[in-house]
Amino acid sequence: MLTQRSRYALRAMIHLAGQPLNGAPTPMNRIASEAIVPRKFLELILADLREAGFIVSTRGKAGGYRLARPSHLISLGEIIRVIEGPLALVPCVSRTAYRPCNDCKDEARCAIRIAMARVRDETARILDGTSLADTVAEDLVAA
């Protein structure tokens, strides 16, 4: 399941995707209230997203946050990986954090590993194929 932290990160990023790329930075308080994210969590999440290069911040009275690159170039998969880590449900199928399972006798023929690799691949395909721009466009269609 997606953690609440990832949902908050996605909400914040989708909110920023709805703002002009070269417009004024969006203050943290505004992101928190409009994306419905508790400020104390948002501060930590935005720091992680900034460190990952997804957003830039500006200090001062007119400061805030904005996307570091166009919304069509940031996928939901990228955001989730920054917040959660690998998309794989078991470590033996992770592409970035591989670890063998301690109780597996034959990794190459393990039915669980084979199924979880398919889950990982489909999950990655969908999340990496969905950009922030897609989510904003879908919000407009749904409205």
Side-chain angles (χ1 to χ4, degrees):
M1 269 183 24
L2 200 61
T3 65
Q4 188 65 44
R5 188 170 172 9
S6 286
R7 292 185 2 210
Y8 288 158
L10 290 170
R11 281 190 210 156
M13 290 295 285
I14 291 167
H15 177 76
L16 289 174
Q19 309 304 308
L21 184 62
N22 294 320
T26 304
M28 185 183 311
N29 288 337
R30 191 163 123 212
I31 298 169
S33 67
E34 293 180 14
I36 312 167
V37 178
R39 193 176 193 285
K40 71 176 188 171
F41 291 113
L42 183 61
E43 198 168 337
L44 298 170
I45 290 166
L46 292 177
D48 288 343
L49 295 169
R50 184 181 63 238
E51 189 174 305
F54 294 126
I55 59 175
V56 293
S57 62
T58 306
R59 292 180 179 225
K61 187 176 180 180
Y65 296 85
R66 59 176 182 253
L67 297 180
R69 57 187 197 247
S71 61
H72 70 278
L73 296 177
I74 302 173
S75 75
L76 299 186
E78 291 177 294
I79 297 165
I80 292 170
R81 283 185 190 93
V82 165
I83 301 300
E84 298 286 332
L87 296 176
L89 296 176
V90 292
C92 65
V93 298
S94 176
R95 291 195 171 139
T96 58
Y98 169 83
R99 265 188 359 256
C101 295
N102 296 332
D103 58 350
C104 187
K105 293 178 184 175
D106 183 0
E107 192 175 88
R109 295 191 336 210
C110 176
I112 295 170
R113 182 178 193 276
I114 293 166
M116 291 301 111
R118 286 197 322 254
V119 170
R120 179 214 52 216
D121 291 346
E122 285 302 302
T123 301
R125 183 185 63 77
I126 294 165
L127 292 174
D128 291 338
T130 306
S131 72
L132 287 175
D134 295 331
T135 66
V136 173
E138 289 172 11
D139 283 348
L140 293 175
V141 170

